[in-house]
Each structure stands twice: as C-alpha cells, then as structure tokens.
Amino acid sequence: MRIIRVARFFILSLLLSFAACSDDLMFDFLLGPQPNFIDDTDFVPGLSILGIMRPDSLDSLPASYVVVEKLIPAASSTPDSFNVIDAKVLVYREVNSIMIDSFEFTFDTTQLFPAVYRHPEFYPQGGEKLSITCQREDLPILTAETTIPNV
C-alpha cells in the first residue's frame, strides 16, 4: 500500500513539474538543447542530388541514375514537398577536361518517390570522368564531378 502511495506521489510530482515548464524548456528536455543560431539564419532554397553512376546494368536497364530533391526548411508552417520532377539533369563525359558527349537524364515516371532521373543508353566505363549539372528555373544550378572506378 505504501509503495502505491509513493508511486502516485512520484508520478503526480513529475506531471506537475512538466506542466510548470515553459514550452522551450519542454522542447529542450524532449529533443536536447537546440542551437540558437537556427532561428537567426535565413533559409536559402537549393537542390540536392545523389548521383549513382555504375558501369553495370540491370536487365538491360542502366544501373546509373540521379535522385533530385529540393532543400526545404526543417521547421515550416507550410507543407512542401522535396520531390523534384521537373529538373533538367545533364551528365557530361569528359576526356582530358574536354567534353566528348552529354546525356540528358529524364524523370523516371515508373518511380515517383524519390524523384529518379535516368538515361536509357547511358553506360559509363571504369576510369571515365563525369560531370553532372542539375537545374530548375527557380533554384540555383548544382554541379558535381566524379570518376567511375575501375572494377
């Protein structure tokens, strides 16, 4: 009987302590302390790409693809999607810093999430240097470079 009273007292004290806390303190308690600079930083929209460039294929479908997403604020009052289905994705093949050909990757409508872009005839070879350019009208252009490893 005494154990039940002690447990009730402990639970009631804990609930009253949490009820007396401010929202910020409760937020810090649940998620840990948060840096103050997040509130003072202006969000800059942009693109994020994940390019998988592989020299192999899967059942005649090239295994290379590019995932394109839009950066969104971590905490926002308006819902927004980070899926980008209207980007222009170009992959350039280079030899001695000279572009020898390019491939425009198009949105793969068979896979809606994440936004995957493919080119049906893109088969990179080991040792090739590739440049990727991704753009959308309302966002800054994003570029990346890679070299396909020799396997």
Side-chain angles (χ1 to χ4, degrees), residues 3-18:
I3 294 174
I4 294 174
R5 283 186 187 167
V6 171
R8 283 184 188 166
F9 175 75
F10 179 71
I11 291 171
L12 184 61
S13 298
L14 191 62
L15 289 174
L16 288 174
S17 296
F18 282 133

Side-chain angles (χ1 to χ4, degrees), residues 71-88:
L71 300 175
I72 58 174
S76 175
S77 60
T78 59
D80 198 359
S81 172
F82 52 85
N83 224 15
V84 176
I85 61 172
D86 58 348
K88 183 175 182 178

Side-chain angles (χ1 to χ4, degrees), residues 23-24 44 61 74 76 89 113 129:
D23 289 340
D24 291 339
V44 178
L61 180 68
S76 175
V89 179
F113 185 82
K129 184 177 178 185

Side-chain angles (χ1 to χ4, degrees), residues 24-151:
D24 291 339
L25 185 59
M26 179 62 83
F27 185 72
D28 286 348
F29 176 75
L30 294 175
L31 298 177
Q34 301 296 309
N36 293 330
F37 67 85
I38 290 178
D39 295 335
D40 300 333
T41 304
D42 290 333
F43 174 74
V44 178
L47 292 171
S48 174
I49 59 173
L50 170 66
I52 307 296
M53 302 295 149
R54 298 177 52 154
D56 55 351
S57 64
L58 304 168
D59 296 327
S60 75
L61 180 68
S64 298
Y65 60 91
V66 177
V67 176
V68 181
E69 294 178 339
K70 179 174 62 169
L71 300 175
I72 58 174
S76 175
S77 60
T78 59
D80 198 359
S81 172
F82 52 85
N83 224 15
V84 176
I85 61 172
D86 58 348
K88 183 175 182 178
V89 179
L90 294 171
V91 177
Y92 303 97
R93 187 176 290 149
E94 296 180 11
V95 174
N96 297 328
S97 300
I98 299 172
M99 182 186 68
I100 57 171
D101 56 1
S102 64
F103 300 87
E104 183 169 355
F105 280 42
T106 56
F107 176 65
D108 184 354
T109 57
T110 63
Q111 184 173 342
L112 298 178
F113 185 82
V116 172
Y117 289 75
R118 297 181 190 272
H119 191 283
E121 298 171 4
F122 181 73
Y123 296 95
Q125 301 300 314
E128 288 183 337
K129 184 177 178 185
L130 303 175
S131 296
I132 302 169
T133 301
C134 183
Q135 60 187 24
R136 185 175 162 189
E137 288 182 16
D138 57 337
L139 298 171
I141 296 173
L142 185 62
T143 61
E145 290 182 351
T146 190
T147 301
I148 304 298
N150 290 314
V151 290

